[in-house]
């Protein structure tokens, strides 16, 4: 099975990668561990078809396996970014005052909004924080579903696109039909089937309202 070349990306050191030798699972784990396993496999069989995937995105990873373990580790190491300083928070704190993570910024609302906020238990600030947290949680759940759908579909397109039932399985994935997805992938090679299900799980286990 050949994956489209436009799915290959530069490594971004995600939390976990998975490598396949043909349809067989070769390695899964931290990027460096997987890269070294791929290197060892290709040293044993230079003609082996080995593909490595970023589990977070489902995309192929273009590995540079030249050199020693240290060489590979150095290429995979994320760049060290300077620590960001919240200047507004720093200016609001007086010397010796502990940083509480609270940043004071202007909020513009209509009078009726302020009236409603002031009437809530805890006042305006507490209520606004709760509203923001609630919105973030709802948005985060939708994003996790969307990301799981995209990563599973990218992986399946690359590795199972020629297998029977792929298109119907992809439709079941986006429809949140877990039983249908499980049925359609049942006869795929075991390692491809299991990894596809693993990537799809966050989307298929979600409740119906969260998928809207």
């Amino acid at each position: 099975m050949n994956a489209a070349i436009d799915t290959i990306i530069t490594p971004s050191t995600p939390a976990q990668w998975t490598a396949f030798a043909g349809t067989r699972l070769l390695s899964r784990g931290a990027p460096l561990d997987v890269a070294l396993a791929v290197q060892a496999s290709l040293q044993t069989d230079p003609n082996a078809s080995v593909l490595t995937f970023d589990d977070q995105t489902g995309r192929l990873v273009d590995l540079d396996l030249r050199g020693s373990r240290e060489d590979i580790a150095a290429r995979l190491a994320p760049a060290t970014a300077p620590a960001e300083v919240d200047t507004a928070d720093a200016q609001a704190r007086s010397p010796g005052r502990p940083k509480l993570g609270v940043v004071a910024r202007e909020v513009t609302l209509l009078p009726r909004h302020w009236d409603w906020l002031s009437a809530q238990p805890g006042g305006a600030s507490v209520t606004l924080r709760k509203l923001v947290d609630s919105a973030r949680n709802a948005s985060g759940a939708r994003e996790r579903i969307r990301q799981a759908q995209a990563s599973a579909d990218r992986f399946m397109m690359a590795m199972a696109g020629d297998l029977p039932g792929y298109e119907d399985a992809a439709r079941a994935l986006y429809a949140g039909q877990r039983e249908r997805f499980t049925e359609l992938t049942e006869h795929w090679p075991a390692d491809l089937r299991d990894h596809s299900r693993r990537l799809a799980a966050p989307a298929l286990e979600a409740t119906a309202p969260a998928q809207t």
Side-chain angles (χ1 to χ4, degrees):
M1 296 169 213
N2 295 320
I5 192 67
D6 60 0
T7 62
I8 296 180
I9 62 170
T10 302
S12 57
T13 61
Q16 184 163 277
W17 289 353
T18 300
F20 282 82
T23 61
R24 178 179 61 85
L25 176 66
L26 175 65
S27 178
R28 175 185 295 135
L32 178 58
D33 294 336
V34 173
L36 293 174
V38 172
Q39 183 190 52
S41 177
L42 292 176
Q43 287 174 343
T44 301
D45 181 5
N47 296 319
S49 174
V50 180
L51 297 177
T52 303
F53 294 86
D54 175 336
D55 286 1
Q56 183 177 6
T57 65
R59 295 183 185 275
L60 275 166
V61 176
D62 186 15
L63 285 174
D64 184 348
L65 300 173
R66 295 172 299 170
S68 66
R69 174 191 177 95
E70 290 71 24
D71 294 330
I72 296 174
R75 285 192 290 268
L76 294 179
T80 302
E84 294 185 2
V85 177
D86 192 321
T87 54
D89 186 43
Q91 292 171 359
R93 288 183 287 123
S94 60
R97 179 183 176 187
K99 181 176 181 180
L100 301 178
V102 177
V103 179
R105 293 179 181 171
E106 181 179 356
V107 176
T108 303
L109 300 174
L110 294 174
R112 66 176 181 272
H113 298 146
W114 285 117
D115 291 343
W116 182 84
L117 285 171
S118 297
Q120 303 308 305
S125 294
V126 171
T127 303
L128 282 172
R129 291 170 194 162
K130 290 180 179 179
L131 289 172
V132 171
D133 285 341
S134 177
R136 288 182 62 204
N137 290 336
S139 177
R142 289 193 297 270
E143 177 59 22
R144 284 190 293 273
I145 293 170
R146 187 205 63 77
Q147 182 171 309
Q149 290 171 334
S151 62
D153 193 26
R154 288 189 189 107
F155 172 77
M156 292 192 305
M157 185 181 298
M159 295 295 288
D162 295 331
L163 295 179
Y166 158 70
E167 292 185 358
D168 288 336
R171 282 191 281 269
L173 168 67
Y174 284 101
Q177 299 170 340
R178 180 172 58 183
E179 292 184 2
R180 177 69 171 157
F181 183 84
T182 299
E183 176 187 353
L184 290 165
T185 58
E186 180 62 30
H187 299 294
W188 292 1
D191 289 344
L192 296 185
R193 175 198 66 204
D194 293 347
H195 191 62
S196 297
R197 291 176 179 178
R198 179 174 170 274
L199 294 179
L204 298 176
E205 293 174 358
T207 60
Q211 297 180 51
T212 59

